[in-house]
Amino acid sequence: MRLALRPYLLIVPALLLTCGILYPFGLGLYYTLFDFSASKPQPDMVRFENYRAVFTQEAFWNSAWVTVLYAVGAALVETVLGVAVALLLHRSTLIGRVLEKILILPLMIAPVIAAIIWKLMLQPSVGVVNYLLRPFGLGGVQWTDTPTGALLSSIAVDVWVYTPFVAILALAGLRSLPTSPFEAAAVDGAGWWYTFRRLTLPMLWPYVLVAVIFRFMDSLKVFDIIYALTEGGPGDSTVVLQIRAYLEAIRFQRYSFGISYTIVLWAVVYLAAMVLVKHLGKIQRKAAEVTT
């Protein structure tokens, strides 16, 4: 009997975790059908009125645009820099081994703490960044006080924190690639750029795409970095969907409306993940063809 029950006992922790996730999610989905708010403790059922209000609100489309800009910009820069750093560290040198250990330091800092540190460093008058740029005539930059500067500064902090994550995944991928195709290319006299374009990059793409999936999904639902750095300002220039949901649910105390934002954001992240994971399968098959 113990042997027969063992498979079911092994899935109990996963089942409990799933219930712990699905119950609040289902409850939140149910609340979006009402008009819960601080001013209306006895809500009425409004069905899908909250979602209609979300999609007809100009603030939603502004937040959606800012979210896309942030996610695409952060994921793109982190991918390019992460792969470049991984290629540099792949060479077995003493400097590379030392830098490989230093690389994980940003990942050991909580993103909100990193954002607070960078907020102090980017202060126009007393920040160390403007102090270092002053000899070059760039000491008066308003990093987080303009709409464009605030968004770019937020992306830069995200890049500083999470580029090591992409680099570590890419480095692990580089070290797991088979050596025989590269040896054959070297015998044929192939140059570095040709080898990278025809062999390294196609075989490395599955690892890079895994990093892109994680970073793009995480960037779509970013909250901590932007809120700690700019609180969504100036104006609503950095109000992403996650911050918009917080403002609606907590600051404006329109609970059902704020939860509707989070459900819409969940749907966006889910669809993006489905598309990227489907594309990952195609990339893995192509990488297998290059390997063989």
Side-chain angles (χ1 to χ4, degrees):
M1 183 178 293
R2 288 198 300 268
L3 291 176
L5 291 177
R6 184 175 299 174
Y8 300 98
L9 294 176
L10 289 175
I11 67 171
V12 168
L15 184 61
L16 293 176
L17 180 62
T18 303
C19 293
I21 294 173
L22 291 180
Y23 175 74
F25 176 79
L27 190 61
L29 192 63
Y30 173 73
Y31 283 160
T32 61
L33 303 178
F34 294 84
D35 56 352
F36 280 101
S37 66
S39 61
K40 196 168 186 179
Q42 300 297 328
D44 298 321
M45 177 174 281
V46 295
R47 298 184 184 275
F48 299 105
E49 183 64 25
N50 285 319
Y51 295 103
R52 189 199 65 79
V54 166
F55 287 110
T56 56
Q57 190 181 46
E58 185 179 352
F60 166 78
W61 296 107
N62 177 75
S63 296
W65 176 243
V66 174
T67 302
V68 171
L69 287 178
Y70 182 92
V72 172
L76 180 62
V77 176
E78 288 164 11
T79 301
V80 174
L81 290 181
V83 172
V85 171
L87 290 172
L88 292 175
L89 296 181
H90 186 51
R91 302 184 180 185
S92 298
T93 61
L94 177 60
I95 297 178
R97 289 193 292 270
V98 173
L99 291 178
E100 184 179 344
K101 305 302 184 294
I102 299 175
L103 187 66
I104 65 174
L105 289 179
L107 293 175
M108 299 170 65
I109 303 175
V112 65
I113 301 300
I116 293 174
I117 294 173
W118 276 98
K119 184 176 183 178
L120 296 174
M121 293 172 60
L122 293 174
Q123 285 291 326
S125 56
V126 297
V128 66
V129 174
N130 275 354
Y131 175 78
L132 295 175
L133 293 177
R134 193 168 292 122
F136 304 97
L138 301 173
V141 179
Q142 304 291 322
W143 294 102
T144 58
D145 295 338
T146 62
T148 302
L151 182 60
L152 293 178
S153 298
S154 302
I155 293 175
V157 174
D158 195 295
V159 169
W160 182 83
V161 174
Y162 290 110
T163 294
F165 171 79
V166 180
I168 290 172
L169 283 182
L171 183 60
L174 285 171
R175 290 177 175 173
S176 66
L177 297 182
T179 58
S180 55
F182 298 98
E183 293 172 352
V187 171
D188 292 338
W192 178 87
W193 174 245
Y194 181 88
T195 303
F196 173 76
R197 186 166 52 92
R198 295 293 186 179
L199 293 177
T200 306
L201 194 58
M203 289 190 289
L204 188 63
W205 260 121
Y207 302 93
V208 174
L209 191 55
V210 168
V212 170
I213 291 173
F214 277 103
R215 288 306 315 132
F216 185 69
M217 290 171 58
D218 200 34
S219 297
L220 282 175
K221 52 188 180 64
V222 66
F223 178 84
D224 45 9
I225 290 178
I226 292 182
Y227 192 79
L229 187 66
T230 66
E231 295 187 10
D236 57 355
S237 58
T238 56
V239 177
V240 292
L241 288 174
Q242 193 82 305
I243 292 182
R244 179 68 65 185
Y246 164 80
L247 294 175
E248 295 289 349
I250 305 302
R251 186 168 296 181
F252 305 148
Q253 298 183 337
R254 295 188 290 184
Y255 310 125
S256 293
F257 193 58
I259 296 175
S260 299
Y261 263 96
T262 63
I263 297 298
V264 171
L265 178 59
W266 168 83
V268 171
V269 174
Y270 179 79
L271 292 175
M274 290 291 291
V275 172
L276 290 173
V277 170
K278 184 178 180 180
H279 191 60
L280 176 62
K282 297 179 181 179
I283 293 296
Q284 288 175 334
R285 288 191 292 270
K286 291 182 179 179
E289 294 174 0
V290 173
T291 304
T292 55

